[in-house]
């Protein structure tokens, strides 16, 4: 799929205020700092469309980006950021979960996972919650430029084994690097195939 245009549309903490045009949308979620905003920039070939930062907790709102005047990429705040107060975290989780549960035009959620790490409890819990709530999702491993291909294969195998403890089959799995742009075509073609 070719990305011809990409522009910021609106930021919200309330899914009821998100765009009402019914265009299909695809959301990016995962732990703080996993690379959600960077991946959106990589996919759209923009350096600064979504705000990124080396310190976790940068994205705090539901951000809609309109692509090719046809569909939306949605950048979500990260979960599991320890420095956010418990109260603020509760609020976060509430508006993100309402968005995921209520948003009718949400076609697929990409759950981003740091390819360098062993399976994290918070990610497994989040994906199990998606399963329970029948929220369709895919797994996207990020930052693969940061490890060797043999280490990557090892980590992917560990992750798949862990997932198969809970799931009869795995959701689609993608590997990406926002640095090298690896995985861009596959991810965009997958999005295309769902529209
Ligand atoms: P929050 O908005 O805080 O939840 O974080 P986020 O998931 O949007 O992460 P963000 O895209 O801001 O990236 C966090 C840090 O990781 C930044 O310093 C990025 O430059 C870096 N980063 C993201 N993706 C990659 C990647 O594929 N490779 C490398 N080497 N660094 C990456
Ligand atoms: Mg972000």
């Amino acid at each position: 799929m070719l990305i011809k245009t990409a522009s910021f549309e609106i930021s919200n903490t309330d899914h009821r205020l998100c765009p009402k045009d019914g265009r299909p949308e695809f959301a990016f979620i995962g732990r703080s700092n996993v690379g959600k905003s960077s991946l959106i920039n990589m996919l759209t070939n923009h350096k600064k469309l979504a705000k990124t930062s080396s310190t976790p907790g940068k994205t705090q709102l539901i951000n809609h980006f309109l692509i090719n005047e046809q569909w939306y990429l949605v950048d979500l705040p990260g979960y599991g950021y320890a420095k956010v107060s418990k109260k603020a975290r509760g609020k976060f989780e509430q508006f993100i979960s309402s968005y995921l549960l209520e948003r009718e035009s949400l076609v697929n959620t990409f759950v981003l996972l740091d390819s360098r790490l062993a399976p994290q409890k918070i990610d497994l819990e989040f994906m199990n919650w998606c399963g329970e709530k029948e929220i369709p999702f895919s797994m996207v491993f990020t930052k693969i430029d940061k490890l060797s291909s043999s280490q990557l294969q090892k980590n992917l195998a560990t992750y798949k084994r862990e997932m198969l403890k809970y799931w009869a089959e795995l959701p689609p799995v993608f590997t990406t690097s926002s640095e090298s742009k690896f995985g861009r075509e596959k991810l965009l073609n997958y999005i295309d195939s769902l529209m």
Side-chain angles (χ1 to χ4, degrees):
M1 181 181 10
L2 275 179
I3 305 290
K4 292 179 211 132
T5 56
S7 57
F8 170 72
E9 191 77 10
I10 193 168
S11 291
N12 280 298
T13 53
D14 186 341
H15 68 91
R16 289 167 298 190
L17 302 173
C18 290
K20 291 188 176 58
D21 51 33
R23 289 180 169 110
E25 67 192 44
F26 300 84
F28 291 76
I29 197 160
R31 290 190 315 135
S32 275
N33 218 42
V34 72
K36 302 174 289 295
S37 303
S38 303
L39 187 62
I40 286 178
N41 290 340
M42 183 272 251
L43 292 173
T44 55
N45 271 329
H46 274 250
K47 282 205 176 78
K48 290 185 178 159
L49 187 64
K51 287 184 189 132
T52 65
S53 167
S54 53
T55 36
K58 180 70 183 173
T59 310
Q60 305 234 344
L61 301 165
I62 303 168
N63 298 293
H64 276 73
F65 300 96
L66 181 60
I67 312 298
N68 293 349
E69 310 281 332
Q70 281 173 345
W71 53 281
Y72 292 107
L73 280 178
V74 181
D75 193 13
L76 294 172
Y79 52 71
Y81 176 40
K83 276 195 184 156
V84 174
S85 74
K86 228 183 185 168
K87 197 172 155 205
R89 201 155 62 201
K91 221 167 105 189
F92 251 35
E93 278 161 16
Q94 212 169 27
F95 78 70
I96 299 168
S97 58
S98 317
Y99 164 81
L100 293 170
L101 290 167
E102 310 287 340
R103 185 71 174 158
E104 281 179 16
S105 51
L106 178 61
V107 178
N108 189 57
T109 298
F110 293 100
V111 180
L112 274 60
L113 306 157
D114 191 324
S115 61
R116 295 168 297 177
L117 305 180
Q120 305 285 301
K121 190 163 168 248
I122 192 164
D123 295 318
L124 295 167
E125 281 174 359
F126 178 73
M127 290 187 280
N128 285 343
W129 178 81
C130 287
E132 242 166 63
K133 303 293 182 191
E134 299 184 355
I135 297 167
F137 71 93
S138 318
M139 296 163 75
V140 177
F141 289 92
T142 63
K143 309 192 185 185
I144 66 157
D145 57 285
K146 291 210 176 199
L147 72 182
S148 69
S149 64
S150 61
Q151 191 60 51
L152 174 65
Q153 292 317 319
K154 216 169 123 190
N155 290 1
L156 291 178
T158 309
Y159 221 113
K160 286 178 184 172
R161 254 198 326 272
E162 186 65 30
M163 284 295 279
L164 290 171
K165 288 185 189 165
Y166 310 93
W167 296 81
E169 57 183 320
L170 289 174
V173 175
F174 298 91
T175 47
T176 63
S177 163
S178 299
E179 284 286 312
S180 73
K181 298 200 168 219
F182 185 92
R184 182 173 182 273
E185 249 349 271
K186 274 200 181 145
L187 205 53
L188 287 176
N189 288 343
Y190 180 64
I191 290 174
D192 207 10
S193 76
L194 297 178
M195 277 195 291

